[in-house]
Structure formats: C-alpha cells, structure tokens
Amino acid sequence: MNKQNIPVVELSGGISMPQIGYGVFQIRDYEECRRCVSEAIACGYRLFDTAAAYFNEDAVGDAVAEAIQKGIVRREDIFLTTKVWLQDFGEEETERAVRKSMRNLKTDYLDLVLLHQPYGNWQAAWKTLEKLQKEGIIRAIGTSNFTEQKMNELLRFAGQKPQINQIEIHPFYTETGYTEKLKEAGIQPEAWGPLNEGQRGIFQNTVLTEIGERYGKSAAQIALRWNLQSGNVIIPKGTKEKHMRENLDILDFELSPDEMAMISAMDLGHSEIIDFNNPATGRLLMKLKIHD
Ligand code: NAP
C-alpha cells in the first residue's frame, strides 16, 4: 500500500505500480481533461493512463506539472503511462513518438510505455522500447491489446518480455484463462474499460447490484473490486468527481470466493467493444492517422 492506501503490484524487474489508476480515453477537450486529472490527483489517484492517440497528453502533463509545482505530489509519486500509435511503429518513428510524448507530458522519463495495438511493424517498435528502457528513459515497457497469439509471437522474438499487457477486462469479458497465463509468464494484466464503458446496463446489473447491497457498494464498485481481486491493475475513467471517488472506495471490503465466481460467470466470452481476433480490426486501425 502507498499513502493513499492504494495497493501496488510489483512488475517484473521490481518496479512498483499502483493497482488502481485513472484513464483519460475520450476526454479530448484540453480544459476538461486538465480538470479531471487535477481532481483525480486530489482524490488520491497517482497512476494516469493516456496515449498519443487520445490527443490529451498535454493536458495530463500540465495537470501533473501544476500539482508538482504546488507541492501536492512529487514526480516520483506519479506513475505515467502512455502508448505509441501504429503510425509511429518503426525504429526511428517510435523513438521520435516517445520523445514527443515526453515533451507533451512535461517529463524527462516515462513510467510505462505500451505499444497501443498489435498491428503494423510492432517488432521494430518493440525493439525501440527495449532500447529506450535500457537508456533509462522508460521505466517499464509493455503491450496493449495483444491477444494470446500475438503475445506468443512477441515472446518468441523479444529480448525483454512485456511487463504489462493492457487488455479489455470486466465482468462481461473476463479473459480469465488468458490473464492466468500472462501472470504465469510474469506479465501483469491491466484492465481497460473495467466498467465496460457503461454498456450492457452494467450499472443496473442484478448480480452486481445484489452483491453490492451486502456491502453498501454500487454495481460499479463491485465490478471494479472483482477486477482488483482477480489480480489485475484497473484504470477506470470517471469524468464526474463523484465517480472518481467511488471508484477508489473499493478497499474496505472483500468479495467471497462464491461472489467472485458469480461475477466471473457473467462472462460472454467475447468483447462487445472491439474484436482483436478479427483481421478487419487491424485493417481499420492501420488507417487511423494521428498526425501528418
Ligand atoms: P470505463 O472506465 O469502463 O467506463 C467509463 C464510463 O463509466 C464513463 O461513462 C463514466 O462516466 C462511467 N463511470 C465511471 N465510474 C462510474 C461509477 N462509479 N458509476 C457510474 N458510472 C461510472 O471506460 P474507458 O474510459 O473506455 O476505460 C478506462 C480507461 O482504459 C480509458 O480511459 C483508457 O485509459 C483505457 N483504455 C485503453 C484502451 C486500449 O486500447 N488500450 C481502450 C479503451 C480504454 P462519467 O465520465 O460520467 O463519470
């Protein structure tokens, strides 16, 4: 635990990472994103998850820099994650992209950099992350959305295995078998969309609300607690301060093995947001350009 009482996980290589963080996907407006990150810091969040493709690294960086300047936090209290977009996969391209992210985030090192998607020249991009890690610019390196097949390809090729794989995980898509394999391989699973982006009536779900009534917690809190107890890092997004606080307030109770099993049984076995096993997904994502 750190002083906010947020549990920490230890990544391979001995780096500590908060197990609960704050994601900023789809908060495109500069002022809105800066407000969210400042409020999240005040609530106690210390891990922030952004990406070059979210177009808000500068707002995250300015909010963190302001909190440091005001003496609310030190840089070393903050765990900054960003992701390299497909268009920037390549030896020189990836290094240029990481350095640009560092400038946007107003930092001279990054805590974690992920390859955002498993398409394009991810091999060259991975080698570059390995190099930048050796140079001390990045503390931890990882992947995002790497399916089991892609991860196996990467593990055959990599000099250094990913310390994290950030994938969609929530009660409707539990990925339990895969996350167990990742953990066995020493790769920490990190759950994106831990609230299923609010879809499929998750906040009114009967299983989650009934379990929540036993502990005086909301369906959202039960979904997050299930993910935490499953051993995953979680990065929920809440633009409302009430949600930010609620999503951190999941540390004073524990789900029983039966309750964990009931929630795991909600698994649909597939994503309803994006299908990384469909080759069309790769073709579509490869077309998305984030700069000239
Ligand atoms: P999410 O966290 O699953 O859900 C966010 C939605 O849930 C928002 O509409 C939010 O509402 C609502 N919410 C949050 N807390 C709530 C609560 N306690 N009660 C009721 N509603 C609540 O979705 P996400 O933002 O897509 O995923 C989280 C983070 O994962 C992202 O921000 C991003 O950092 C990361 N991510 C990564 C990838 C990837 O490809 N690697 C993909 C998607 C997401 P309000 O905003 O109104 O508070």
Side-chain angles (χ1 to χ4, degrees):
M1 300 259 190
N2 55 18
K3 60 177 184 277
Q4 288 77 37
N5 289 331
I6 296 173
V8 293
V9 293
E10 191 171 302
L11 307 181
S12 65
I15 290 164
S16 294
M17 175 179 191
Q19 203 184 347
I20 309 175
Y22 185 82
V24 295
F25 180 41
Q26 291 171 330
I27 316 181
R28 279 285 286 269
D29 180 75
Y30 173 86
E31 292 301 336
E32 170 76 342
C33 185
R34 190 168 171 164
R35 173 193 66 79
C36 284
V37 174
S38 296
E39 284 182 7
I41 292 173
C43 289
Y45 290 89
R46 295 294 179 262
L47 156 60
F48 293 94
D49 183 86
T50 182
Y54 296 174
F55 303 104
N56 56 17
E57 290 177 313
D58 55 342
V60 175
D62 287 344
V64 171
E66 185 185 11
I68 293 170
Q69 192 257 324
K70 286 182 174 168
I72 300 166
V73 289
R74 298 165 304 170
R75 172 66 185 87
E76 57 268 36
D77 299 326
I78 298 287
F79 194 101
L80 276 180
T81 304
T82 194
K83 313 184 191 83
V84 181
W85 188 247
L86 291 166
Q87 190 186 351
D88 294 318
F89 284 4
E91 277 177 37
E92 284 170 21
E93 294 89 336
T94 298
E95 175 153 359
R96 209 178 308 128
V98 169
R99 290 187 186 279
K100 186 174 175 195
S101 289
M102 281 168 44
R103 283 196 299 279
N104 286 339
L105 287 160
K106 324 287 176 312
T107 184
D108 55 7
Y109 71 91
L110 290 161
D111 296 281
L112 175 65
V113 178
L114 307 176
L115 300 186
H116 205 146
Q117 312 285 356
Y119 304 109
N121 192 359
W122 55 262
Q123 293 88 342
W126 184 254
K127 285 288 167 202
T128 307
L129 292 193
E130 288 180 345
K131 175 180 105 69
L132 295 175
Q133 185 180 38
K134 282 200 187 87
E135 289 172 8
I137 288 166
I138 308 174
R139 294 177 66 222
I141 58 176
T143 52
S144 174
N145 299 314
F146 272 56
T147 58
E148 194 170 343
Q149 188 194 337
K150 284 282 180 191
M151 183 58 79
N152 287 336
E153 281 178 44
L154 175 58
L155 290 177
R156 279 196 292 275
F157 155 89
Q160 143 92 49
K161 70 182 171 199
Q163 287 152 291
I164 287 268
N165 189 24
Q166 185 185 113
I167 54 175
E168 181 186 348
I169 308 173
H170 47 74
F172 296 118
Y173 190 35
T174 63
E175 288 276 40
T176 310
Y178 184 31
T179 55
E180 286 313 315
K181 286 182 190 165
L182 288 173
K183 283 185 250 173
E184 277 165 27
I187 302 166
Q188 172 64 48
E190 181 175 27
W192 69 249
L195 296 168
N196 196 25
E197 301 188 340
Q199 294 178 38
R200 195 169 258 274
I202 188 166
F203 303 125
Q204 293 78 39
N205 179 270
T206 321
V207 174
L208 299 175
T209 45
E210 283 183 8
I211 294 174
E213 280 163 16
R214 299 176 197 162
Y215 300 99
K217 299 289 178 185
S218 68
Q221 289 171 307
I222 298 301
L224 296 176
R225 178 75 206 186
W226 167 86
N227 226 318
L228 200 73
Q229 269 182 238
S230 302
N232 305 321
V233 172
I234 55 173
I235 43 169
K237 174 188 72 189
T239 54
K240 297 186 181 69
E241 194 183 353
K242 174 182 178 294
H243 291 161
M244 292 179 197
R245 292 196 182 281
E246 198 175 308
N247 298 343
L248 272 187
D249 183 18
I250 58 171
L251 300 171
D252 57 353
F253 72 106
E254 189 168 339
L255 297 169
S256 70
D258 280 355
E259 289 164 342
M260 287 293 289
M262 279 171 73
I263 299 166
S264 297
M266 290 165 56
D267 187 23
L268 301 170
H270 62 89
S271 170
E272 293 183 305
I273 298 176
I274 186 164
D275 180 3
F276 286 100
N277 291 305
N278 182 348
T281 302
R283 288 196 292 275
L284 180 75
L285 292 174
M286 287 290 289
K287 283 188 195 149
L288 296 180
K289 305 288 179 213
I290 64 167
H291 56 74
D292 295 337

